[in-house]
Amino acid sequence: MPRPLSTDTIATVKATVSALAAETRAAAERHGDMRVETFYETADRDAHPGRIRMDWLRANTHLAEADIHLCGPRPFLRHFVQGLHEAGVPADRIRYGFFGPADEPLAA
């Protein structure tokens, strides 16, 4: 298990769409005790290959102490909100924002 950090930030993005990647890295540098892990669906030398998975989160983060912030489409949110609940993360420490078609309200 990695040593506890005051903040873990996980970015799940495609190599061509890195929303807030530069801002996240700059914040980590300023903070000094923050780790940024990036996952790209396509190969990239600066990122983990593929999509982030619950087993990776369990092995590499301190879920028992974490505040989780997610943003993504409905299938992504359903998968991770359910997985985080199953991993013992209390509902009040999981926050999420939906993006996708306006006719798809989130019902996670």
Side-chain angles (χ1 to χ4, degrees), residues 11-87:
T12 306
V13 294
K14 294 181 181 179
T16 57
V17 184
S18 292
L20 301 176
E23 293 88 344
T24 302
R25 284 182 174 72
E29 191 172 309
R30 284 190 310 272
H31 190 272
D33 196 19
M34 180 175 166
R35 185 179 71 224
V36 177
E37 299 284 348
T38 304
F39 289 77
Y40 289 133
E41 292 178 355
T42 55
D44 186 283
R45 64 183 175 88
D46 296 323
H48 299 277
R51 295 181 179 185
I52 191 169
R53 299 180 327 272
M54 276 304 306
D55 61 333
W56 188 93
L57 282 173
R58 283 186 200 99
N60 294 281
T61 64
H62 297 278
L63 289 177
E65 304 166 14
D67 288 310
I68 306 294
H69 300 266
L70 303 166
C71 184
R74 185 170 44 192
F76 171 85
L77 293 174
R78 283 191 175 151
H79 172 77
F80 279 101
V81 169
Q82 178 181 346
L84 291 164
H85 284 299
E86 290 170 1

Side-chain angles (χ1 to χ4, degrees), residues 71-75 77 97-105:
C71 184
R74 185 170 44 192
L77 293 174
F98 167 76
F99 68 78
D103 62 346
E104 288 189 35

